[in-house]
């Protein structure tokens, strides 16, 4: 496998992990980038281990670029077993996992994944409210209830 980020992202994009709606999710978050128009939704399922709440599974759907999909694929794998607090502290370059650090031009693609994760951790889009809605159906004008969360340019907090 190549050490080049673009090559790794292309490989990850060719066989993305954890794609699709999670029917039994505990939480879901949806974000859109006002810059490029890409959108990403992430579902989380929690479980308990040794008295701690941890992420059991994560999945995603994206209308996004290759990088966003590749990072989401990596992120949904590495989120398994993390506590919500640990997951909340992950930055785009953490979520990119084996892809390596994001090139400067691709940081916002990783932020799309980060913000979808944050939104899911916040539990703002309760899955029970729209159990069968896909990201595609949510984009239909008559869907009307999709939540767009602008990405922050800086996240030094
Ligand atoms: Fe929009 Fe990558 S170009 S998320």
């Amino acid at each position: 496998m190549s050490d080049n980020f673009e090559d790794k992202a292309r490989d990850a994009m060719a066989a993305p992990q954890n794609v699709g709606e999670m029917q039994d999710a505990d939480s879901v978050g949806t974000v859109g980038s006002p810059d490029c128009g890409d959108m990403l939704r992430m579902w989380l399922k929690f479980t308990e281990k040794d008295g701690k709440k941890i992420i059991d599974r994560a999945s995603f759907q994206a209308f996004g670029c290759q990088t966003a999909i590749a990072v989401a694929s990596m992120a949904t794998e590495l989120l398994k077993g993390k506590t919500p607090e640990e997951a909340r502290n992950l930055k785009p370059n953490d979520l990119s996992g084996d892809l390596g650090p994001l090139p400067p031009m691709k940081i916002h693609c990783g932020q799309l994944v980060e913000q979808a994760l944050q939104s899911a951790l916040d539990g703002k889009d309760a899955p029970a409210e729209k159990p069968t809605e896909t990201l595609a159906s949510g984009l239909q004008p008559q869907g009307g209830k999709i939540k767009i969360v602008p990405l922050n340019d800086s996240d030094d907090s």
Side-chain angles (χ1 to χ4, degrees), residues 33 35-39 63-69 105-106 108-110 112 151:
S33 167
D35 296 331
C36 64
D38 291 343
M39 300 190 70
F63 283 133
C65 69
Q66 172 177 287
T67 301
I69 292 169
M105 293 287 287
K106 303 289 186 181
H108 78 281
C109 312
L112 192 71
L151 295 176

Side-chain angles (χ1 to χ4, degrees), residues 23-46:
Q23 293 289 341
D24 61 343
D26 292 319
S27 189
V28 57
T30 306
V31 293
S33 167
D35 296 331
C36 64
D38 291 343
M39 300 190 70
L40 198 138
R41 179 170 290 169
M42 186 177 289
W43 288 264
L44 297 176
K45 180 72 179 173
F46 298 102

Side-chain angles (χ1 to χ4, degrees), residues 6-145:
E6 295 294 337
D7 290 346
K8 288 183 184 177
R10 197 174 305 116
D11 289 345
M13 169 81 182
Q17 306 293 304
N18 309 308
V19 176
E21 179 181 358
M22 189 189 295
Q23 293 289 341
D24 61 343
D26 292 319
S27 189
V28 57
T30 306
V31 293
S33 167
D35 296 331
C36 64
D38 291 343
M39 300 190 70
L40 198 138
R41 179 170 290 169
M42 186 177 289
W43 288 264
L44 297 176
K45 180 72 179 173
F46 298 102
T47 188
E48 202 173 300
K49 186 179 179 193
D50 301 328
K52 280 195 309 190
K53 181 180 179 181
I54 60 169
I55 295 172
D56 185 39
R57 288 175 282 130
S59 71
F60 76 98
Q61 286 183 334
F63 283 133
C65 69
Q66 172 177 287
T67 301
I69 292 169
V71 173
S73 172
M74 288 286 170
T76 50
E77 278 295 298
L78 66 83
L79 284 171
K80 293 175 184 172
K82 296 254 188 293
T83 66
E85 186 63 26
E86 289 168 340
R88 194 173 288 285
N89 289 329
L90 295 172
K91 299 299 177 201
N93 279 336
D94 302 317
L95 295 169
S96 62
D98 291 343
L99 298 175
L102 293 155
M105 293 287 287
K106 303 289 186 181
I107 292 288
H108 78 281
C109 312
Q111 287 174 328
L112 192 71
V113 179
E114 179 190 27
Q115 295 293 328
L117 170 60
Q118 298 291 336
S119 181
L121 289 168
D122 289 343
K124 289 176 180 165
D125 293 335
E129 291 177 14
K130 39 191 168 189
T132 59
E133 183 182 280
T134 64
L135 186 54
S137 65
L139 290 173
Q140 302 302 313
Q142 64 269 27
K145 289 191 72 176

